Amino acid sequence: MADQFDVVVIGAGPAGYVAAIRSAQLGLKTACIDDWLDEKGQPAPGGTCLNVGCIPSKALLESSELLERSREEFSDHGLSGKVTLDLSAMLARKRRIVRGLNQGVTSLLKSNDVKMISARACLHSGRRVEVMPVDGAEHYFIDSENVILATGSRPVDLAVAPLDGEQIVDSAAALSFSEVPQRLGIIGAGVIGLELGSVWRRLGSDVVLLEAQDEFLAMADSQIANDGLRFFTEQGLDIRLGARVTSTTRDDGVIVDYQDADGTHQERFDRLIVAVGREANSDHLFASDCPLAMGRRGQVIVDDHCRTNQPGVYAIGDLVRGPMLAHKGSEEGIMVAEVIAGKQAWVDYETIPSVLYTQPEIAWVGKNEAQLKAAGTDFRVGSFPYAASGRAMAMGDTRGLVKILADVHTDRILGVHMIGNHCSELIAEAVIAMQFQGSSEDLAMTVFAHPSLSEVLHEAAMDVNGLAIHKGRSRRP
Ligand code: FAD
Ligand code: NAD
């Protein structure tokens, strides 16, 4: 007789393990099946985010940023002495952080009585889950009242630049180069291209990003994207827009042919990273007797509560529509667990923040100016530069601004867009204001600590009505 569960979660990334913990917290007998193994062949729950995504990339961004600041800023602070790079120590620190978090997720699952199974899984009809242990043991079945699919995503392949794991690599391998490439090419100037491009540039690479689109960061507010392009170019990232790669040839490096509006070009790189988006992991996830409705790029089709077309089967995270972000997947995991437990639950997809962990950071939530104009919404803009912030001056980085878009008639905040130091933290204040359906006046009437970067957000809110204090004479609407 097969084991019987209330909930089986397939995938232990930030969507799946969070869904499993919340299910168990709500008294549901829960199992979580995941196939990720670390380099020693040990189970490594946490998915892409923890193993080769959010966490290792931020560890390297932090380390490389310190090196850059030591070169560029220390003398201004009256600090001297040369800081040198020990790449293997930097990579070891990154691995320690990842392994520590793997253990953290393992013990969280255990302490919540989630049965963790290290295996590949395949869904059959009647919510029977086939379990294929990673240690090669005989496959078996478990039954469940509910199944949550959370198998995540993988990098999109590019036919003209097939990965070889050495010269032409994906983002996972680009987190572990054993030496700094002298010339690094990156196909795709999206989030991964810019974050990993920043890491390796700071560590000493000449970085060229080849981006197919003519517009830089098309998903961001155009003013913020334009500022970002200027700052990143000033730092030395060579961003080439409208560039279509037509072929790659291996020698001891990679020769890349590409076309843009000016014609055909050739570049040689020591390494090439392909970072042109991700696609859902749905291959071999379900058997033919359990046909799930599928959409584009392998996504499983779901409704607003992440229900699939199969009763009792849910899908969350990168496997389904919406931004491929860890926090979006986690919130869906919590929502689905609560729905299964019979509670009212939802995700507010309008207030999911996006962050680029470049320097300066870029962050936004809600609608941008172009989207509001296209929708015919009347809005007011308030903005404030970091350059007028005492805290930003004390920190030695005054690049950037915060911009708030509010409805002309109701003053409700419709979008907040920012570029600057610590935007990844600042954006949370905007998310909370929007989640509470706040107005620019609500933010303007809130007391912010001085001196703090959040005062930039405060002044931008006051500027919506032309009343920013530290902006000179503003126009009043
Ligand atoms: P995943 O994290 O991909 O986890 C899915 C898990 O399911 C994996 O462990 C996989 O091995 C397992 N699995 C797959 N198929 C099966 C099967 N059949 N049986 C058993 N197990 C299976 N997002 C952010 O929000 N912030 C960031 O800063 C950020 N940085 C990133 C940096 C990089 C370099 C990359 C690549 C991504 C980054 N992301 C970031 C995106 C983020 O990693 C994903 O959105 C997130 O991991 C998706 O979570 P998930 O749980 O849906 O899937
Ligand atoms: P992306 O969609 O952010 O960027 C891909 C870029 O590649 C786009 O600008 C696209 O126009 C370009 N492109 C596509 N095909 C191309 C081609 N043939 N030649 C040249 N350029 C091409 O995707 P990504 O950077 O691969 O990241 C994948 C996902 O991971 C994203 O959805 C993102 O949400 C997530 N992620 C998030 C963070 C974060 O939250 N800070 C960090 C890294 C990754």
Side-chain angles (χ1 to χ4, degrees):
M1 165 107 171
D3 263 353
Q4 176 75 43
F5 289 89
D6 297 320
V7 177
V8 167
V9 184
I10 304 179
Y17 85 75
V18 168
I21 289 174
R22 178 53 57 89
S23 299
Q25 285 173 334
L26 295 172
L28 301 164
K29 186 179 173 194
T30 306
C32 185
I33 309 171
D34 187 84
D35 64 356
W36 203 295
L37 299 176
D38 67 15
E39 63 274 2
K40 292 185 180 149
Q42 295 302 309
T48 303
C49 167
L50 206 168
N51 289 294
V52 292
C54 323
I55 300 299
S57 60
K58 267 80 245 177
L60 291 184
L61 279 158
E62 193 65 29
S63 300
S64 59
E65 175 66 10
L66 285 178
L67 180 66
E68 175 139 292
R69 292 194 71 185
S70 76
R71 285 188 189 134
E72 310 266 315
E73 296 174 31
F74 274 20
S75 60
D76 190 43
H77 288 267
L79 303 171
S80 55
K82 189 168 158 49
V83 175
T84 54
L85 170 65
D86 178 346
L87 181 59
S88 62
M90 193 179 280
L91 295 176
R93 172 185 179 271
K94 176 204 70 171
R95 270 195 305 277
R96 277 197 307 279
I97 293 166
V98 170
R99 293 298 154 248
L101 285 167
N102 289 141
Q103 285 161 14
V105 175
T106 304
S107 50
L108 278 175
L109 290 167
K110 200 170 169 196
S111 67
N112 279 286
D113 287 331
V114 175
K115 185 174 168 62
M116 186 67 212
I117 302 171
S118 190
R120 273 198 81 71
C122 176
L123 178 66
H124 291 253
S125 70
R127 295 180 300 280
R128 294 211 101 194
V129 177
E130 183 181 4
V131 180
M132 295 157 273
V134 290
D135 62 7
E138 189 64 24
H139 75 129
Y140 61 96
F141 287 86
I142 52 180
D143 292 324
S144 186
E145 289 294 313
N146 302 278
V147 174
I148 305 175
L149 305 172
T151 50
S153 65
R154 57 172 182 265
V156 168
D157 289 335
L158 206 54
V160 289
L163 304 185
D164 59 23
E166 288 180 19
Q167 262 77 29
I168 307 181
V169 300
D170 62 12
S171 56
L175 291 162
S176 296
F177 289 150
S178 55
E179 54 191 53
V180 178
Q182 206 179 347
R183 270 182 73 70
L184 175 63
I186 305 180
I187 309 182
V191 195
I192 292 180
L194 290 169
E195 289 187 358
L196 293 187
S198 297
V199 166
W200 292 106
R201 180 197 60 74
R202 293 168 191 164
L203 298 182
S205 297
D206 288 330
V207 179
V208 178
L209 293 110
L210 301 171
E211 165 59 49
Q213 292 200 51
D214 294 325
E215 194 183 349
F216 178 66
L217 282 183
M219 65 281 201
D221 183 272
S222 60
Q223 183 185 4
I224 303 286
N226 288 340
D227 283 359
L229 181 57
R230 182 161 51 85
F231 293 139
F232 303 146
T233 305
E234 278 167 13
Q235 287 166 4
L237 285 180
D238 183 347
I239 301 169
R240 303 184 190 173
L241 300 174
R244 296 203 155 268
V245 174
T246 50
S247 73
T248 53
T249 316
R250 286 273 312 269
D251 54 9
D252 53 335
V254 193
I255 297 165
V256 176
D257 291 292
Y258 71 95
Q259 289 178 343
D260 63 14
D262 298 329
T264 58
H265 309 269
Q266 192 170 78
E267 285 285 350
R268 193 193 161 283
F269 302 111
D270 299 299
R271 304 263 197 161
L272 181 68
I273 305 173
V274 180
V276 293
R278 296 178 64 83
E279 61 191 348
N281 269 332
S282 52
D283 304 350
H284 314 296
L285 178 59
F286 52 95
S288 54
D289 61 357
C290 180
L292 288 173
M294 301 293 292
R296 52 185 282 278
R297 281 194 167 181
Q299 286 175 346
V300 173
I301 293 180
V302 290
D303 68 10
D304 285 350
H305 284 90
C306 292
R307 295 185 188 94
T308 70
N309 62 325
Q310 299 289 328
V313 179
Y314 301 79
I316 58 176
D318 281 10
L319 184 60
V320 303
R321 82 285 176 266
M324 288 185 162
L325 296 173
H327 43 285
K328 174 263 192 185
S330 297
E331 291 308 313
E332 289 179 333
I334 290 172
M335 170 181 71
V336 167
E338 302 214 338
V339 166
I340 291 172
K343 294 178 176 295
Q344 292 278 345
W346 64 91
V347 171
D348 185 351
Y349 288 97
E350 296 298 313
T351 55
I352 295 174
S354 296
V355 177
L356 266 75
Y357 295 81
T358 45
Q359 191 58 19
E361 293 181 341
I362 291 178
W364 69 88
V365 57
K367 301 275 188 269
N368 62 37
E369 286 203 44
Q371 290 164 335
L372 291 177
K373 282 180 190 151
T377 309
D378 294 330
F379 62 96
R380 252 178 222 148
V381 183
S383 68
F384 196 77
Y386 271 62
S389 155
R391 184 71 194 279
M393 285 179 215
M395 293 170 86
D397 188 351
T398 55
R399 293 168 296 177
L401 78 145
V402 171
K403 176 165 141 181
I404 297 180
L405 312 177
D407 189 285
V408 163
H409 308 291
T410 64
D411 193 34
R412 185 170 166 177
I413 301 169
L414 303 172
V416 179
H417 304 268
M418 41 180 83
I419 179 166
N421 217 345
H422 294 294
C423 280
S424 54
E425 304 296 335
L426 235 55
I427 197 68
E429 298 171 12
V431 174
I432 293 168
M434 287 183 67
Q435 185 70 44
F436 289 176
Q437 308 193 355
S439 61
S440 77
E441 188 185 33
D442 289 328
L443 274 183
M445 291 173 69
T446 304
V447 182
F448 291 78
H450 176 76
S452 68
L453 294 179
S454 59
E455 289 173 300
V456 179
L457 182 75
H458 187 210
E459 291 272 7
M462 293 195 280
D463 190 52
V464 171
N465 285 306
L467 293 170
I469 298 294
H470 296 92
K471 205 179 173 182
R473 194 173 167 79
S474 310
R475 83 242 114 61
R476 298 280 294 276

